[in-house]
Amino acid sequence: MSITNNIEKFRKEKRILFTTPSHGQGNFVAPKSLKMIGHKFFTCDYSEIEGFDNLSNPVGMIKSSQDNAAQIYGAKATFYLTNGSTSGIIAAMYSVLKRGDKVAIARNCHKSIYNGLVLTGALPIWILPQYNEEWGIFETINLDYLEEVFYKNSDIKAFIMTNPTYEGCMSDIYRISAICRKYNILLIVDEAHGALWNFNKALGTPSLVQGADIVVQSLHKTAGALNPCALLHISRECNINPKTIQQALNLITTTSPSYPLLLNIENTIEYLSSAKGQFCIQDLVKNVNRLVRNIKLLPNLEVYSYNNDITKLLIKVTNLSGFELSEILFEKYKIEDELANEKAVLLLTGLGTTKSKLKKLENALNDLCLNNIKISQEKYRNDKHFVPVEPRVRYVPAAVWGKFSKDVELKYALSRVCMELIVDYPPGAPILLPGEVIKKEHIAYLNDKGRTTVKVLL
Ligand SMILES: Cc1ncc(COP(=O)(O)O)c(C=O)c1O
């Protein structure tokens, strides 16, 4: 029986619960929350009561719901994550990496991978994807370079990469997984931004289908679920025991998972895989494509279109930095983007992106480009982007965790060991990680950003 049906059945039983959660399925809701959220959400919130299941050791309705999801996704096992892709990524790392193990990681990774490095004590071998200076973004990984790194480090246990990138760039996972297999390296893909791919071929081909071993997806990013609903899949070909993943998840996730989130995960998957859901995704694709076609005709405007997932709109306007464009969109049109860099702005769309919302964006861009709207560049004079340099790892993140640090002036920071996680914008690619050597390029960049000090190892 599904989680949804079980909860509906349970409600009819009218059992008297002396259990957590203490709101008693909405008998008490803090008054301001009641006003803002209402009480319905609380009525679905239970703990592991009789007849329910346990997310940390599922044997009943959660197990059958997860098994059903695994079939839909073509996975050996699928895990529901109520702590986001963040928890899936860390658990995947914990399942396969031990202290001192080498792990290759594409540098445009999410910060959860840094957390995974601290917890596992693994040694990162950083892979720099190609960098597109024109757009200020990482793109795909050069496969010859990847193979060379694997060849030189025969003891790499796993390779972790992001596909698609935050900005939608897609990699050839078929070829990457073949290279990983050749060197007996496990492929973990952070597909947080590709949760619609399994249900619409025009958007992208799921990494699981292309041969990845473990894939993590955020259902809340594009697929319309609540924050932070996510999934972890193990491929049918991967020999990792699902129990190992479960144990790792249990190490880092709450023992009180949210039933409203579990329900939402189940219902979202059911909807996405239904004819109605697929029509809804197709409609989004059609509407975004129409917008892109129209705005591409505007003078001075460019839309990033190179093998990317079109639900992510990366846009730039001549003579405006991404930061300026972002400010104009927000101040003049109340349009808030996901992020901006020196070159462009990123606008994310998903199942909740209505036609009228896209029309508002189109109208704003029309107005902005046709009326040549500008703002003062003065404010953004220091907003330079960082052109990535090869990281030099002096200590693995776990080795410097909790060690003493001090602030030093930038001019004295050259060759010192950084003790901060420096990221341009959360969750952008890291510029410096704790344990890495500070290079002159880092100092120049931090200086441009107006910083005067940096934390270094004492
Ligand atoms: C590429 C990438 N991976 C993983 C995550 C973490 O996802 P979640 O918010 O579901 O924990 C994010 C979040 O922004 C992300 O951008």
Side-chain angles (χ1 to χ4, degrees):
M1 186 179 267
S2 71
I3 302 173
T4 314
N5 291 345
N6 212 46
I7 289 184
E8 272 171 356
K9 178 174 149 265
F10 173 81
R11 280 175 163 167
K12 290 187 190 126
E13 285 179 23
K14 299 203 182 337
R15 255 190 256 167
I16 300 147
L17 299 180
F18 284 92
T19 65
T20 60
S22 58
H23 56 67
Q25 289 64 55
N27 290 339
F28 167 81
V29 181
K32 283 186 184 164
S33 291
L34 188 63
K35 211 165 150 201
M36 289 191 79
I37 312 173
H39 114 299
K40 263 234 144 112
F41 189 90
F42 290 77
T43 65
C44 308
D45 193 30
Y46 294 93
S47 55
E48 287 75 29
I49 54 173
E50 198 55 45
F52 273 38
D53 203 358
N54 186 336
L55 187 63
S56 60
N57 180 25
V59 290
M61 62 176 173
I62 295 178
K63 177 165 176 10
S64 81
S65 185
Q66 288 188 155
D67 287 350
N68 183 44
Q71 266 200 329
I72 291 172
Y73 284 93
K76 176 160 87 179
T78 292
F79 296 85
Y80 290 174
L81 308 174
T82 58
N83 290 72
S85 285
T86 299
S87 64
I89 289 166
I90 297 172
M93 292 174 76
Y94 232 104
S95 308
V96 297
L97 299 170
K98 291 192 303 293
R99 190 157 291 273
D101 278 350
K102 279 189 189 168
V103 54
I105 306 173
R107 185 68 174 185
N108 54 338
C109 63
H110 180 250
K111 87 191 262 281
S112 52
I113 288 168
Y114 163 72
N115 301 351
L117 286 171
V118 172
L119 293 170
T120 58
L123 166 66
I125 308 286
W126 293 105
I127 307 285
L128 275 188
Q130 285 148 340
Y131 189 73
N132 184 330
E133 280 217 43
E134 222 184 292
W135 289 89
I137 59 167
F138 279 111
E139 289 180 328
T140 52
I141 296 161
N142 179 302
L143 300 188
D144 292 335
Y145 157 57
L146 185 70
E147 185 148 9
E148 194 186 318
V149 175
F150 288 177
Y151 180 74
K152 284 186 184 154
N153 296 271
S154 58
D155 47 352
I156 289 177
K157 287 273 170 25
F159 173 45
I160 310 176
M161 61 172 293
T162 310
N163 185 55
T165 63
Y166 208 167
E167 298 83 7
C169 248
M170 298 193 279
S171 294
D172 186 343
I173 302 291
Y174 282 116
R175 290 182 64 196
I176 294 175
S177 64
I179 298 173
C180 285
R181 267 196 301 280
K182 181 170 160 192
Y183 291 88
N184 200 19
I185 290 171
L186 195 101
L187 177 59
I188 301 173
V189 178
D190 171 356
E191 205 173 81
H193 292 276
L196 291 178
W197 290 6
N198 303 76
F199 309 100
N200 190 296
K201 288 197 179 84
L203 288 176
T205 308
S207 301
L208 202 67
V209 171
Q210 297 189 62
D213 293 293
I214 300 179
V215 177
V216 178
Q217 299 177 313
S218 294
L219 285 176
H220 62 97
K221 289 192 191 297
T222 46
L226 279 165
N227 266 339
C229 291
L231 300 170
L232 182 154
H233 310 287
I234 314 178
S235 100
R236 287 181 178 148
E237 287 71 38
C238 172
N239 56 17
I240 290 197
N241 188 335
K243 283 190 182 140
T244 310
I245 299 275
Q246 184 70 68
Q247 279 169 353
L249 280 169
N250 293 353
L251 262 184
I252 54 161
T253 52
T254 172
T255 54
S256 309
S258 156
Y259 266 97
L261 294 190
L262 290 174
L263 270 178
N264 193 227
I265 292 175
E266 180 180 87
N267 301 154
T268 302
I269 296 171
E270 189 193 16
Y271 182 73
L272 293 174
S273 56
S274 70
K276 231 177 175 175
Q278 284 172 34
F279 178 80
C280 180
I281 306 172
Q282 192 49 39
D283 209 38
L284 170 72
V285 172
K286 198 177 75 198
N287 294 337
V288 175
N289 270 327
R290 185 185 304 117
L291 167 94
V292 170
R293 259 196 323 273
N294 291 348
I295 60 176
K296 271 185 168 173
L297 300 173
L298 291 170
N300 301 323
L301 185 142
E302 259 185 273
V303 186
Y304 180 82
S305 352
Y306 167 74
N307 192 30
N308 63 321
D309 172 332
I310 55 108
T311 60
K312 295 127 193 48
L313 296 166
L314 190 65
I315 294 175
K316 65 177 173 181
V317 171
T318 318
N319 292 331
L320 286 180
S321 76
F323 300 111
E324 290 166 315
L325 177 56
S326 174
E327 181 171 324
I328 296 172
L329 285 173
F330 187 66
E331 296 296 334
K332 192 164 176 357
Y333 307 101
K334 289 195 167 54
I335 290 174
E336 188 159 351
D337 52 59
E338 174 76 5
L339 61 89
N341 66 22
E342 202 207 19
K343 308 286 180 180
V345 297
L346 176 67
L347 299 122
L348 295 185
T349 68
L351 288 194
T353 309
T354 55
K355 219 167 159 178
S356 82
K357 209 158 134 180
L358 289 171
K359 192 68 197 160
K360 283 180 186 146
L361 174 63
E362 186 181 329
N363 290 344
L365 292 170
N366 255 305
D367 185 45
L368 195 152
C369 291
L370 297 175
N371 295 318
N372 205 16
I373 290 166
K374 287 211 166 49
I375 57 168
S376 146
Q377 308 229 355
E378 186 61 20
K379 189 166 153 196
Y380 297 105
R381 206 184 52 235
N382 290 329
D383 277 322
K384 301 277 186 314
H385 69 293
F386 181 70
V387 180
V389 288
E390 198 75 46
R392 221 170 94 213
V393 179
R394 175 78 56 77
Y395 300 106
V396 297
V400 289
W401 177 261
K403 290 271 187 297
F404 289 110
S405 64
K406 66 169 183 179
D407 288 322
V408 297
E409 283 180 51
L410 283 182
K411 61 183 175 203
Y412 301 121
L414 188 67
S415 301
R416 302 289 302 259
V417 173
C418 180
M419 284 294 279
E420 291 181 55
L421 176 59
I422 300 180
V423 182
D424 227 352
Y425 47 81
I431 290 166
L432 269 168
L433 255 65
E436 289 181 357
V437 175
I438 299 170
K439 298 185 171 183
K440 63 179 190 313
E441 293 86 349
H442 299 125
I443 294 179
Y445 169 77
L446 293 173
N447 201 27
D448 280 343
K449 282 273 173 195
R451 282 191 55 163
T452 52
T453 62
V454 62
K455 272 196 193 331
V456 298
L457 187 64
L458 204 59

